[in-house]
Amino acid sequence: MELLVALAVGLMTATGVYLLLRKRSFPVILGTMMLTYAVNLFLFSMGRLAVNRPPVIQVGGNGYTDPVPQALVLTAIVISFGTTAVIVTLALRAFLEAATDRVDLAGTTEKDSAES
Amino acid sequence: MNHWIMFPLLIPAVVAPLLILTGRYDEVLSRVFSVGGMVLQLLVAIVLAVQAFGGEIVRYELGNWPEPYGIVLVLDRLAATMLLMAAVIGLLVALVSIDNQDEQGRHFHPLLLLQMLGLNGAFIAGDLFNLFVFFEVMLIAAYGLASHGGGRGRLAASFQFVAINLLGSTLFLIGIGLLYAVTGELNLRELGQRLPAVSEAQRGLLSCGIAVVVTVFALKSAVFPFHFWLPATYSRSAPVIVALFGVTTKVGIYSLLRFYASVLAGNEACFSPWALSWVFPAGIVTVVLGALGVVAARGLGAMASFAMLSSGGVLAMCVAGFEPERIGAGLFYLVHSTIAGACLFFVVEGVIRRRHDVGDALSSSRPFVRHGLLGAGFLVAAIAVVGMPPLSGFVGKLLVLDSFKDSPWHAASWSTILGTSLLGLVGFARAGSVLFWKTPLLDVDSGPPEGGRIHTVMTFIAIGILVAVLAMMAIFAGVITENLRITTEQLLSGRVLPHD
């Protein structure tokens, strides 16, 4: 299970970083989303991985798992959702204004937009 | 319990949604709300400053949940100083935007207030996760403000600004996660007390967490090698907003200082020194890059942005060693450079307003609608930013140089600061002579180049107020430095105090 979670975090981070370095705005947005998924999973596992344990202390229960990272992840998800919405809006507005989806909005000639 | 500390958060958090609901299409109403909110905020900041300078550290527990279980807000002298500075600049930005900037796009004033909410929150947050949340509030508003007015260059710059800051937020969460994993705590004061208890085996993780968090603060304050977004974004955004972004950039330095003082100070043995030691050389490189940018810039806005980058580098140099005397000098320079930077950006705003066709480009080919006050404003702002006497920039740089006198970095810091001051002087002298002497002037009577009246009254008032503040800072430098020395002492002794 530790290996699985670690692999998932690592793979999503690697994908996110790769996509973030692309020059079109849509892959960049996907990259930031992948990164936020990776970090959410990472944060979640910071309370240690435990299976079948409630995040509250129960009398007679068999232990509990740390609820704080779960609360943090919830906040982080909401915030990253909001910022993703903002960046999508910005990218869309930039595309509509400049008719290109390059992140620097450079080159609206045919040659430039045919590239990549 | 004293509830004053909640008002810097409550005022913008209430006024901004009210404004969106009631006055989003009503120009007059939104201006009244916005300026009214800012004035209220300034009054509250003054009350809080009086309270904090009585020497007491307020720790406000939200919902009466005791520390470390609940959320806590902290007000000490440093936080009160920053709140006051942000409130002054915020009010002036709201006033200057009345000249016409707020007509260029919707929701300017609500975004401005939300930006203030994020700033105020970041100054008084007592734990790492709330610091993150307020950073995000501040940044989301900043994304909207950076693209305010639209246009190609501005949209491209703000897309990159959002992308780099999303990466920064991701890193911040990773750092927070690592610190929580090894200590089980996010409250800044508790973190500091738990650091020595981290087992030998987990020290590596702890060092990584600290390094990541420090990196994020460096990214927010645009310290090399994370500096590139600042000139790119700030030189293309509306100058009146960048005046407030100057405060946003200082939040990185402030948070680094706060993080060091409450968590790392006294626990240096628990983590590897490389987590922090790179900040000083990075600061030097930032200062040099900023100064080169000032000389090379082709627009006044870009020049002012590079000057801001350079002053951020000086601040990084000042906080890097965490010497009390140098932090005191750095705080003086922080307040000064924020105000001087805002003043310069207001001048840029005035210049753009009067040269519709070429904006702030440093070329003398197009005529300029005459106004002597604008030239005078530029002269004074440039003197302040470069650090020439008689304004407070001179005092600030002198204090910084003096604090490096006995350090091993003596030669490097003196040569950097003095050399870059010369470069800045050359750059601003060139800009001033091109813009205000070589450019042919149009008389006011012949009207602006592209119809319509030019409103710059508020801009002049704001520049005047800031210049007065800078002059006061120079005149009362003795009193202010003494107060900042006590502020630094309070900051660094904060965590040595026994649990109460």
Side-chain angles (χ1 to χ4, degrees):
Chain A
M1 172 119 145
E2 277 78 5
L3 183 68
L4 196 64
V5 172
L7 273 179
V9 173
L11 204 63
M12 281 198 285
T13 310
T15 319
V17 170
Y18 174 75
L19 286 171
L20 205 60
L21 298 174
R22 308 291 294 170
K23 64 178 175 184
R24 302 269 173 189
S25 56
F26 188 60
V28 171
I29 295 170
L30 286 185
T32 61
M33 285 171 75
M34 284 312 249
L35 274 180
T36 53
Y37 291 155
V39 81
N40 287 342
L41 195 57
F42 176 81
L43 262 189
F44 186 74
S45 61
M46 279 304 109
R48 304 293 182 273
L49 294 170
V51 182
N52 282 339
R53 300 246 176 97
V56 283
I57 302 176
Q58 282 176 328
V59 183
N62 55 343
Y64 65 97
T65 174
D66 193 345
V68 177
Q70 304 190 8
L72 299 187
V73 168
L74 197 59
T75 318
I77 289 174
V78 174
I79 289 178
S80 60
F81 180 72
T83 42
T84 307
V86 172
I87 197 172
V88 167
T89 317
L90 257 181
L92 197 60
R93 192 167 148 203
F95 174 69
L96 291 176
E97 193 136 337
T100 170
D101 64 344
R102 280 175 58 126
V103 288
D104 53 357
L105 299 188
T108 38
T109 61
E110 259 181 41
K111 183 175 156 281
D112 279 329
S113 22
E115 249 172 42
S116 100
Chain B
M1 199 186 241
N2 188 327
H3 296 287
W4 276 102
I5 192 172
M6 279 307 291
F7 283 100
L9 303 181
L10 283 178
I11 293 169
V14 170
V15 177
L18 260 182
L19 201 50
I20 295 174
L21 290 175
T22 59
R24 62 199 293 193
Y25 300 117
D26 190 332
E27 221 166 71
V28 178
L29 200 61
S30 60
R31 285 171 179 178
V32 168
F33 263 92
S34 173
V35 173
M38 292 292 187
V39 169
L40 272 181
Q41 200 165 267
L42 181 59
L43 294 178
V44 168
I46 292 172
V47 170
L48 286 175
V50 170
Q51 194 181 327
F53 276 82
E56 182 200 4
I57 299 180
V58 181
R59 300 187 74 87
Y60 183 86
E61 293 162 348
L62 273 93
N64 269 344
W65 283 88
E67 248 187 297
Y69 306 106
I71 294 171
V72 62
L73 301 176
V74 184
L75 181 80
D76 59 1
R77 284 163 179 263
L78 180 58
T81 311
M82 301 297 283
L83 283 177
L84 192 59
M85 186 182 80
V88 170
I89 306 248
L91 175 61
L92 292 180
V93 168
L95 281 177
V96 172
S97 71
I98 289 178
D99 273 347
N100 84 350
Q101 197 52 248
D102 57 355
E103 294 161 10
Q104 295 186 4
R106 289 208 192 113
H107 302 144
F108 177 83
H109 289 294
L111 283 172
L112 198 60
L113 284 161
L114 287 175
Q115 168 95 348
M116 291 309 291
L117 169 65
L119 280 173
N120 291 344
F123 292 144
I124 55 178
D127 69 84
L128 221 45
F129 197 77
N130 278 305
L131 189 62
F132 165 76
V133 172
F134 284 118
F135 265 29
E136 289 306 300
V137 173
M138 183 175 90
L139 286 171
I140 292 179
Y143 301 154
L145 289 173
S147 61
H148 174 78
R152 239 180 121 110
R154 205 166 276 178
L155 283 172
S158 43
F159 182 83
Q160 292 159 24
F161 178 57
V162 179
I164 188 83
N165 275 303
L166 273 177
L167 189 64
S169 309
T170 314
L171 276 179
F172 200 2
L173 279 175
I174 292 175
I176 288 173
L178 284 170
L179 286 180
Y180 183 81
V182 293
T183 60
E185 189 54 67
L186 285 175
N187 183 307
L188 283 171
R189 189 171 67 173
E190 292 290 316
L191 257 177
Q193 280 161 356
R194 290 210 191 177
L195 233 48
V198 173
S199 69
E200 200 67 47
Q202 300 208 303
R203 293 264 161 102
L205 271 181
L206 178 68
S207 299
C208 281
I210 292 170
V212 170
V213 170
V214 170
T215 305
V216 172
F217 294 150
L219 191 147
K220 304 285 176 196
S221 48
V223 171
F224 176 85
F226 313 105
H227 62 285
F228 48 87
W229 60 268
L230 186 141
T233 312
Y234 288 11
S235 62
R236 284 157 162 183
S237 299
V240 57
I241 296 160
V242 182
L244 187 59
F245 283 176
V247 185
T248 316
T249 319
K250 304 297 184 290
V251 171
I253 293 287
Y254 170 84
S255 308
L256 180 61
L257 207 49
R258 174 74 65 198
F259 184 65
Y260 175 81
S262 32
V263 180
L264 304 182
N267 292 331
E268 279 88 351
C270 305
F271 59 93
S272 94
W274 55 256
L276 280 173
S277 57
W278 61 276
V279 176
F280 180 79
I284 286 200
V285 179
T286 316
V287 176
V288 173
L289 283 174
L292 291 177
V294 167
V295 183
R298 286 189 291 181
L300 200 55
M303 187 171 258
S305 306
F306 276 109
M308 192 183 268
L309 183 68
S310 195
S311 69
V314 173
L315 293 176
M317 283 168 66
C318 288
V319 301
F322 299 102
E323 301 282 335
E325 192 200 343
R326 206 171 302 149
I327 292 177
L331 287 178
F332 187 92
Y333 192 71
L334 188 153
V335 176
H336 155 78
S337 65
T338 313
I339 294 173
C343 191
L344 187 57
F345 273 104
F346 288 153
V347 172
V348 178
E349 178 75 27
V351 170
I352 290 180
R353 203 72 57 69
R354 282 165 183 278
R355 301 200 333 165
H356 286 286
D357 43 357
V358 280
D360 65 341
L362 290 179
S363 80
S364 50
S365 59
R366 295 302 182 85
F368 198 159
V369 184
R370 181 195 296 275
H371 208 303
L373 265 182
L374 201 58
F378 175 79
L379 177 69
V380 175
I383 283 177
V385 169
V386 174
M388 299 280 288
L391 291 175
S392 55
F394 178 66
V395 183
K397 283 210 168 155
L398 207 60
L399 286 172
V400 172
L401 288 178
D402 189 51
S403 71
F404 276 110
K405 202 173 50 197
D406 303 318
S407 85
W409 300 323
H410 183 170
S413 49
W414 276 50
S415 51
T416 310
I417 293 179
L418 292 176
T420 54
S421 297
L422 180 64
L423 280 181
L425 188 63
V426 171
F428 279 105
R430 183 182 62 110
S433 71
V434 168
L435 271 183
F436 296 98
W437 282 345
K438 290 190 185 156
T439 310
L441 293 176
L442 287 176
D443 269 327
V444 182
D445 308 331
S446 60
E450 281 177 17
R453 269 181 56 78
I454 305 175
H455 302 278
T456 37
V457 183
M458 287 299 180
T459 315
F460 285 135
I461 293 177
I463 293 172
I465 292 175
L466 287 181
V467 170
V469 172
L470 288 173
M472 293 310 257
M473 274 183 75
I475 294 168
F476 296 105
V479 185
I480 296 173
T481 39
E482 179 59 19
N483 266 304
L484 290 175
R485 192 185 60 74
I486 301 172
T487 305
T488 317
E489 254 171 37
Q490 188 194 42
L491 177 77
L492 292 177
S493 66
R495 63 169 297 279
V496 188
L497 291 173
H499 238 312
D500 39 28

